[in-house]
Amino acid sequence: MVQLYNLHPFGSQRVVPCKQEPAHFCCGRDVLFVASAAASCRVEVFALRQQGRCEPLGSFATLGRVLRMAHSRTGDYLVTIEEKSKATFLRAYVNWRCMSAGSSRVCVRMVGHKMEESYSETLKEQMSIVEMPLSDPPLCISCCPVNGDLLVGCRNKLVMFCLKYLFINQNLTVLDFERSLILHVDNFIPAEIAFCARHIAITTELDVLILKLELVQQSADRTEQCAHSVRTLEKPVDGGLKDEGPSAHALQLDLDEFIMCQKPAELLGEESKLCEIPITLEYTELPTEDTKRFEVQYLLFRCFTPDQSPFGFCEETKLHSVQLLPIYQTGGSVTAHEETEIKKELLSLFCFFSLPHVGYLYSVGKLVELISTYQYSEKSEQAVLTPQFLHVITSENLQCFTVRCSAAAARDEDPYIDTTVKACPPVTLDVCTLRMQLFIGPRAICHFKNHIILLTKADTEDITERRKPTRKMLSRKAESIKSRANSEAEPGWNLYIINTVSTIQLYREMVDYSRTYENVKTESCIHLLSEAHLLVRAAIMDPHFFKSDEKEEILRAFRESCAFLGDCYSRFDTKDYHLALPYYRMSGLSMTEVLKRLVPEGDEIQTCERGFIFYLTHSLNEDLNEELSKESADKVLQIFCLADPVQLPHILCSPCMRNVCPLTAVKYLQKVEKSMPSVVLTLTKAFMALKMGDLTMYEHEMDSCKETVLACGFIGQPKLLRQWKEGIVMPTEFAVHLKETQPGLLVAATVALHENSKIELEEADTFFKMLCGNRESTVPQLLVDFWEALLVVCSQEETLQELLLRLTSQYVSRILKKQLPETQPLKTTEDLINSCNHFGLIFPWVTSIMSVGSPCAKGYCEDISKLQSLLCSQSINIASALPVLEPLTEDGNVGLTIHVLCNTRLGKYEEAVDLLLKRCPDAAVLYAQHELKDDSRAVWWNKLLPELCKRARLTGNDCPVFISSLKETLSVVAMELELRDFLNFLPEDGTAAFFLPHLLHCSQRKVLT
């Protein structure tokens, strides 16, 4: 559906001072080219200045009558199809600015001609006419706006010429072309073509075909044929006109009385291959290492039928105005070929084509889809598409329609569009007609920046009417600077330059117009504001926007349009109410400013629409740095009490509501509690009681639920404990109070938050450090309590190992510094062993070692036993923990136990035995009895027995511990080995009386067995 608004997108108009009637015209960069319809074969060049002023720059002669012309911004060349002596030629006019500036030098050369000999320093200030011979007459042309390549349409084929820059010398670079590719299209006569970024749009009278040349990897075989055939579909067999006897001629005569029409069809994407239009690629450039090879990708095929009416078929039903419109993603500036341009990266691509009464706009970039359909009020002659508008001329009007290119491009550019972060009016939004401006006899149109070039030519009966002095102009200030050599010989035509008004001016008019629908037609108000938003967005997406004088004003208008749309979705009851949130975010308005816009001071709050509640709920639930005033916070309480009372506990926990009156809040909460009680509500009331300093009420609320229930209640609203301020996690007054009165509940609640993904481990570290006032490098005991409690419930291996390492590091640090915890630990070693399988029972040999020496302080001793308990379990990865444990030396009992535990976990039993025999031989046998089992049992006789024998021999009776340990070892070995093997391990110089009992025990065991 096309909506009609009577806005004013057109400003003043001026008349181009052409000397002869124009036949064709086009714009390029800052100039207008006009080819005359007379036999003079000239192209006049006009400079387009600000405010639509048009100044003649000069003219140059063509070699024939111009049938079609186009200008390429890249390369700044003009290409024409010319006719002379009933022959058609394709020519490119390069360096034409020299000719229009008055130079008389002209060089005519063939495409690809070697120019080193013909060009010199003295001849560089001249215009070159490049002849491009073709085997078939050219029918249509198109220049690629991205790279300047030229595409020529001929009967049954398209010919592509690549633009090249030839370096002659340091001061001279010359443009040339190379015919690189021919696309053979069977039974296809192009009427118009469009070419952009390897995308090709072709139209016949009733068919549209859009293709893309996809780059493919070149084969390593350099001798491959240049002709590369694209996979073609088999044509259906035509069995309707076969000569099958005498009746065939009569049947053909009957068929001649009918008009045969194809069935209308629309094939998108992969389906477009079914169009049965085979295409073959023929490469014509010389193959090199850099030669590009392509394959054809079909994007769209659409077939139309002639318009039908009660009077038969309309013979004038033909497609026209095919156009490919690129929208760029801008980057930095680059210098190329002696000119500085904005570096442009293609973002989106759109294709437009039109029938006499309806136009179609497709997106053909990442996704091929129909975006908009334009219904004209009368038969159209020509149309031109821009990023902001579609301009269409009919027999009596210049019509201006809105387009959805910026809406589609915005979604290609920004993945956050259509989320709670950002929004943009939908691509499917109905288009509208902004203006239908009356003109007499519009014939042709083109567009350049903010100018529309319009050719009008009245019929003979209209000429007298046109010469009346009361002819209506677009602007009262419009000037006529028309100068015609022979006005009577060429009556009834004009070439106008019509200025479109500035983006800001039209935006303001749209906003003002939308207010007329504000209280009457909700959808119309939103529609107009959406159009205004897209208008400004399109201006921002222009590659030259950041160099524009209106940059700041347009950005302000963009934010303002977002605010207006946010107001609409907040005030009106629409299905898209959720869009209030992203539009307000994009507007940059604070919550206080939004409240003032929607709830003026002094107004009584009666009802609130869903969009406003949605915006407030999401904004308050996020960690914003904005704090509402007491008045604004109380106003928010009233709003939610009316609209969504169940959200009140959550709203009161928002950082934005710090200044809320706690007494008022409690009153509202008590009302809600009567109908919808919850643990979160109870905790919120306790929080408000703390703010009021009412400890009695606080204790009453906290005692109303069990501690485990309260801990789980914090999961429903984590902001009761922690909030964010400027990106830093901050504990609340509630958390500070719990630290002093119920640290166990605080730790349990934080563990519950972590296990429910409400707080990350690093975030919890910061939280406890901020809560306890510790420096970043200091670990408070409450954080250690949290780590220990989290070990009990943690199930993720990665987090588990991280916790074990952190605890190990903390225990080691305190042991080395002989530092006592600043607060009483919540759990002892025994508690942890009983509740957590990651803390193991301390081994007897560890206890034996620790019993030797002076006892430690109680808190210090707790850290030692917890560390030993961790290492006595099988959970910790010893290899990862070694760097942390390394500072503990072997000199003390603690270090000895830790090193022996590590060697044992790593399977280094012999090293562990050496350490014990060296430092604490009393524990060696106890260690062996506990650890040397199964696969490690051989260490008894391979290591422990020889070492004890050796040390007993050296010390004799001076160290009875070695003698007693040796006896215990011999008893174990005698039970394990055969008699012969046992004898082999006994020392040759040993005393027989000492070893004989063990030998007898071993032999008796054999007899008994």
Side-chain angles (χ1 to χ4, degrees):
M1 184 180 78
V2 179
Q3 302 193 39
L4 175 61
Y5 300 110
N6 190 24
L7 299 175
H8 301 83
F10 306 127
S12 61
Q13 71 181 40
R14 294 173 184 261
V15 178
V16 180
C18 301
K19 296 179 180 179
Q20 295 176 326
E21 179 183 353
H24 300 278
F25 55 92
C26 67
C27 295
R29 292 194 179 176
D30 55 348
V31 296
L32 170 66
F33 299 94
V34 182
S36 62
S40 59
C41 299
R42 295 197 70 81
V43 173
E44 296 180 77
V45 185
F46 300 91
L48 298 177
R49 309 298 185 193
Q50 291 184 353
Q51 305 301 323
R53 290 185 296 110
C54 188
E55 299 176 1
L57 283 182
S59 64
F60 55 87
T62 59
L63 300 183
R65 183 170 66 90
V66 176
L67 302 180
R68 298 207 182 193
M69 64 191 303
H71 177 269
S72 172
R73 181 180 178 86
T74 304
D76 194 19
Y77 67 86
L78 182 72
V79 61
T80 61
I81 296 177
E82 302 173 13
E83 182 184 48
K84 188 172 184 180
S85 302
K86 297 184 179 181
T88 310
F89 303 91
L90 178 67
R91 298 186 174 104
Y93 293 81
V94 180
N95 208 19
W96 52 267
R97 291 182 186 267
C98 298
M99 199 66 184
S100 63
S103 174
S104 59
R105 294 181 180 273
V106 179
C107 168
V108 181
R109 56 184 171 88
M110 296 292 288
V111 65
H113 176 64
K114 190 176 180 181
M115 286 173 288
E116 284 82 356
E117 299 176 1
S118 60
Y119 267 73
S120 66
E121 283 293 320
T122 57
L123 297 179
K124 69 178 182 179
E125 295 297 329
Q126 66 178 4
M127 182 176 76
S128 295
I129 304 176
V130 183
E131 294 274 1
M132 303 183 197
L134 296 167
S135 58
D136 295 296
L139 303 176
C140 45
I141 50 177
S142 179
C143 302
C144 176
V146 177
N147 55 28
D149 291 348
L150 172 65
L151 187 69
V152 184
C154 304
R155 184 183 182 89
N156 296 333
K157 65 182 178 183
L158 304 173
V159 184
M160 188 170 78
F161 291 87
C162 289
L163 178 66
K164 293 197 170 183
Y165 295 87
L166 301 180
F167 179 79
I168 304 301
N169 55 49
Q170 187 174 0
N171 300 319
L172 183 61
T173 301
V174 178
L175 293 184
D176 197 17
F177 299 87
E178 181 180 8
R179 187 173 63 179
S180 60
L181 183 65
I182 299 176
L183 292 85
H184 296 276
V185 189
D186 293 349
N187 301 318
F188 209 80
I189 303 176
E192 292 182 351
I193 57 173
F195 186 36
C196 179
R198 301 200 308 273
H199 290 75
I200 299 171
I202 321 165
T203 62
T204 61
E205 288 189 355
L206 292 171
D207 296 337
V208 182
L209 179 62
I210 303 178
L211 314 166
K212 183 181 180 182
L213 297 176
E214 284 282 5
L215 279 171
V216 294
Q217 278 192 336
Q218 188 175 353
S219 172
D221 184 7
R222 298 296 180 184
T223 61
E224 65 177 350
Q225 296 181 352
C226 287
H228 171 68
S229 296
V230 175
R231 180 176 63 87
T232 59
L233 300 167
E234 295 184 4
K235 297 183 181 180
V237 177
D238 185 3
L241 298 176
K242 291 185 178 179
D243 187 1
E244 296 181 350
S247 62
H249 179 67
L251 178 62
Q252 181 63 46
L253 291 176
D254 291 339
L255 289 175
D256 288 343
E257 297 178 5
F258 295 92
I259 299 174
M260 305 300 293
C261 299
Q262 282 186 301
K263 184 180 179 180
E266 180 188 41
L267 303 175
L268 301 176
E270 289 296 320
E271 290 184 356
S272 58
K273 292 179 180 179
L274 304 175
C275 64
E276 299 179 357
I277 301 176
I279 298 176
T280 305
L281 302 185
E282 177 187 350
Y283 297 94
T284 57
E285 62 181 337
L286 294 175
T288 64
E289 291 184 359
D290 299 328
T291 300
K292 296 178 181 178
R293 290 291 181 262
F294 303 98
E295 65 180 8
V296 174
Q297 179 184 354
Y298 291 80
L299 300 181
L300 169 69
F301 173 76
R302 185 144 188 184
C303 175
F304 297 94
T305 57
D307 289 340
Q308 299 183 42
S309 69
F311 306 102
F313 289 101
C314 175
E315 296 181 359
E316 297 181 358
T317 301
K318 294 180 182 179
L319 288 163
H320 65 77
S321 305
V322 65
Q323 182 180 346
L324 288 172
L325 176 71
I327 290 185
Y328 302 99
Q329 190 164 10
T330 57
S333 61
V334 293
T335 303
H337 312 301
E338 300 181 356
E339 59 183 345
T340 300
E341 295 184 352
I342 300 295
K343 185 179 180 181
K344 297 181 290 188
E345 180 183 347
L346 188 66
L347 174 66
S348 303
L349 189 63
F350 304 92
C351 182
F352 175 81
F353 50 85
S354 183
L355 288 169
H357 290 95
V358 60
Y360 301 91
L361 178 61
Y362 282 84
S363 169
V364 292
K366 298 176 182 177
L367 182 67
V368 181
E369 62 179 341
L370 177 64
I371 292 180
S372 303
T373 302
Y374 296 87
Q375 299 287 343
Y376 311 136
S377 58
E378 52 186 301
K379 179 187 172 185
S380 63
E381 301 291 339
Q382 192 180 350
V384 60
L385 178 68
T386 75
Q388 290 181 313
F389 306 110
L390 173 68
H391 300 290
V392 180
I393 56 172
T394 65
S395 59
E396 295 181 348
N397 285 299
L398 168 60
Q399 300 182 5
C400 179
F401 296 87
T402 57
V403 295
R404 300 290 167 260
C405 298
S406 60
R411 287 166 170 82
D412 290 338
E413 183 179 41
D414 194 340
Y416 290 101
I417 296 289
D418 298 327
T419 66
T420 57
V421 179
K422 294 180 182 179
C424 179
V427 177
T428 55
L429 183 71
D430 290 340
V431 295
C432 68
T433 307
L434 295 182
R435 186 75 176 175
M436 298 176 66
Q437 184 67 44
L438 181 64
F439 274 91
I440 299 177
R443 297 301 173 87
I445 186 175
C446 74
H447 176 269
F448 171 73
K449 291 185 178 178
N450 62 331
H451 308 298
I452 297 169
I453 318 300
L454 179 66
L455 174 64
T456 64
K457 186 173 182 182
D459 295 331
T460 306
E461 59 270 20
D462 296 328
I463 295 174
T464 305
E465 183 67 23
R466 287 188 63 212
R467 287 178 177 173
K468 289 182 180 180
T470 58
R471 181 180 54 176
K472 183 177 180 180
M473 305 294 284
L474 281 174
S475 172
R476 293 180 181 178
K477 296 182 180 179
E479 301 178 34
S480 176
I481 53 173
K482 178 179 173 184
S483 172
R484 197 183 305 165
N486 186 353
S487 61
E488 293 186 1
E490 298 289 345
W493 61 265
N494 271 311
L495 188 63
Y496 294 104
I497 295 182
I498 303 169
N499 298 317
T500 54
V501 300
S502 69
T503 298
I504 294 298
Q505 183 178 339
L506 185 56
Y507 164 77
R508 296 290 178 207
E509 186 181 9
M510 286 181 168
V511 171
D512 292 341
Y513 202 160
S514 71
R515 294 194 176 103
T516 62
Y517 297 105
E518 200 166 20
N519 299 318
V520 183
K521 292 185 177 180
T522 301
E523 294 302 324
S524 295
C525 181
I526 294 177
H527 186 274
L528 257 175
L529 288 174
S530 298
E531 293 287 8
H533 178 86
L534 289 176
L535 180 73
V536 177
R537 189 182 279 274
I540 292 175
M541 298 185 81
D542 186 281
H544 300 90
F545 165 71
F546 290 101
K547 292 185 177 181
S548 169
D549 296 335
E550 293 184 327
K551 173 186 171 183
E552 294 302 324
E553 195 173 0
I554 289 177
L555 289 174
R556 279 196 300 271
F558 178 80
R559 291 190 291 269
E560 183 185 70
S561 70
C562 292
F564 287 145
L565 284 168
D567 292 345
C568 286
Y569 288 113
S570 295
R571 288 174 175 155
F572 303 147
D573 184 16
T574 68
K575 61 182 179 66
D576 296 321
Y577 65 90
H578 62 278
L579 293 176
L581 176 63
Y583 277 122
Y584 274 139
R585 281 178 170 169
M586 294 162 63
S587 72
L589 292 175
S590 66
M591 207 182 321
T592 302
E593 291 169 326
V594 172
L595 283 168
K596 288 180 180 178
R597 291 169 73 94
L598 298 177
V599 188
E601 293 183 9
D603 286 10
E604 184 180 350
I605 302 172
Q606 295 180 348
T607 58
C608 293
E609 296 297 343
R610 291 179 297 170
F612 186 32
I613 299 301
F614 185 83
Y615 162 75
L616 285 178
T617 302
H618 278 263
S619 299
L620 291 168
N621 284 332
E622 291 178 2
D623 297 304
L624 303 178
N625 293 325
E626 180 184 2
E627 288 188 14
L628 296 177
S629 66
K630 180 181 178 299
E631 293 75 16
S632 297
D634 291 346
K635 193 178 292 185
V636 169
L637 277 183
Q638 295 177 40
I639 291 170
F640 277 94
C641 190
L642 287 172
D644 194 2
V646 75
Q647 290 292 329
L648 272 180
H650 305 280
I651 296 305
L652 285 168
C653 297
S654 170
C656 304
M657 300 288 284
R658 287 191 181 98
N659 299 321
V660 71
C661 175
L663 184 59
T664 307
V666 169
K667 290 179 180 178
Y668 282 120
L669 288 172
Q670 287 172 343
K671 290 181 181 179
V672 177
E673 190 175 29
K674 292 177 181 178
S675 57
M676 292 173 284
S678 67
V679 182
V680 176
L681 192 147
T682 300
L683 289 170
T684 307
K685 285 177 67 181
F687 189 15
M688 293 297 108
L690 271 181
K691 286 192 170 187
M692 290 190 295
D694 190 345
L695 293 181
T696 304
M697 178 182 173
Y698 168 80
E699 291 171 0
H700 172 73
E701 296 297 335
M702 296 298 286
D703 291 341
S704 64
C705 296
K706 294 181 180 180
E707 193 168 287
T708 52
V709 175
L710 292 175
C712 294
F714 286 105
I715 299 172
Q717 187 44 262
K719 290 179 183 176
L720 286 164
L721 293 180
R722 61 104 177 97
Q723 295 176 349
W724 288 88
K725 187 174 183 180
E726 297 179 357
I728 302 173
V729 62
M730 301 289 290
T732 64
E733 300 97 316
F734 203 167
V736 174
H737 187 75
L738 287 176
K739 168 183 168 286
E740 301 297 334
T741 58
Q742 294 175 281
L745 173 58
L746 177 61
V747 169
T750 312
V751 169
L753 291 178
H754 181 273
E755 288 304 289
N756 286 273
S757 304
K758 301 289 185 179
I759 191 171
E760 298 295 331
L761 194 58
E762 296 295 336
E763 187 183 339
D765 291 355
T766 307
F767 168 73
F768 280 109
K769 288 178 181 179
M770 295 290 291
L771 181 65
C772 300
N774 290 69
R775 297 190 304 274
E776 187 66 28
S777 58
T778 308
V779 178
Q781 176 57 39
L782 208 56
L783 178 55
V784 177
D785 291 330
F786 166 71
W787 290 340
E788 291 173 347
L790 190 56
L791 271 182
V792 178
V793 296
C794 184
S795 57
Q796 296 180 355
E797 182 63 25
E798 185 179 351
T799 305
L800 176 66
Q801 291 301 324
E802 177 67 20
L803 287 171
L804 290 169
L805 279 177
R806 290 185 182 198
L807 285 170
T808 302
S809 176
Q810 183 60 20
Y811 295 149
V812 170
S813 175
R814 286 181 180 176
I815 292 169
L816 290 172
K817 297 176 183 178
K818 296 184 179 180
Q819 176 186 351
L820 296 176
E822 69 273 15
T823 58
Q824 181 69 26
L826 295 178
K827 289 190 177 182
T828 63
T829 307
E830 185 178 354
D831 295 333
L832 291 172
I833 292 173
N834 293 332
S835 62
C836 180
N837 57 6
H838 304 301
F839 285 87
L841 284 169
I842 298 177
F843 303 143
W845 59 266
V846 175
T847 307
S848 174
I849 295 173
M850 294 302 297
S851 63
V852 180
S854 58
C856 306
K858 184 178 179 182
Y860 174 51
C861 187
E862 277 293 317
D863 287 332
I864 295 172
S865 59
K866 286 179 181 179
L867 177 60
Q868 291 170 341
S869 177
L870 274 182
L871 297 177
C872 287
S873 75
Q874 298 297 315
S875 299
I876 191 168
N877 186 329
I878 290 294
S880 301
L882 278 179
V884 177
L885 297 167
E886 194 172 353
L888 290 172
T889 61
E890 304 168 7
D891 298 338
N893 292 345
V894 177
L896 177 63
T897 58
I898 300 305
H899 279 271
V900 174
L901 282 169
C902 290
N903 285 331
T904 303
R905 288 286 306 278
L906 294 172
K908 299 178 180 179
Y909 297 102
E910 294 186 2
E911 293 182 22
V913 168
D914 277 336
L915 270 175
L916 289 173
L917 291 176
K918 178 181 177 183
R919 297 296 318 285
C920 190
D922 290 342
V925 174
L926 195 58
Y927 169 82
Q929 289 172 345
H930 190 271
E931 303 292 348
L932 302 182
K933 301 173 182 177
D934 301 327
D935 294 341
S936 60
R937 190 176 294 275
V939 179
W940 278 95
W941 50 85
N942 288 330
K943 179 67 179 179
L944 184 59
L945 178 59
E947 285 292 330
L948 285 173
C949 291
K950 176 183 175 183
R951 292 172 190 269
R953 184 187 301 113
L954 292 174
T955 58
N957 295 325
D958 295 337
C959 191
V961 67
F962 287 122
I963 302 298
S964 60
S965 297
L966 179 58
K967 288 179 179 180
E968 289 185 50
T969 302
L970 286 170
S971 299
V972 173
V973 173
M975 291 296 292
E976 296 291 336
L977 296 179
E978 297 292 335
L979 182 59
R980 182 178 297 179
D981 295 332
F982 184 39
L983 282 170
N984 290 335
F985 283 103
L986 297 180
E988 295 178 356
D989 57 347
T991 304
F994 183 83
F995 293 101
L996 185 58
H998 299 287
L999 285 167
L1000 289 173
H1001 182 69
C1002 182
S1003 61
Q1004 289 171 358
R1005 180 180 60 83
K1006 180 67 176 175
V1007 171
L1008 290 172
T1009 304

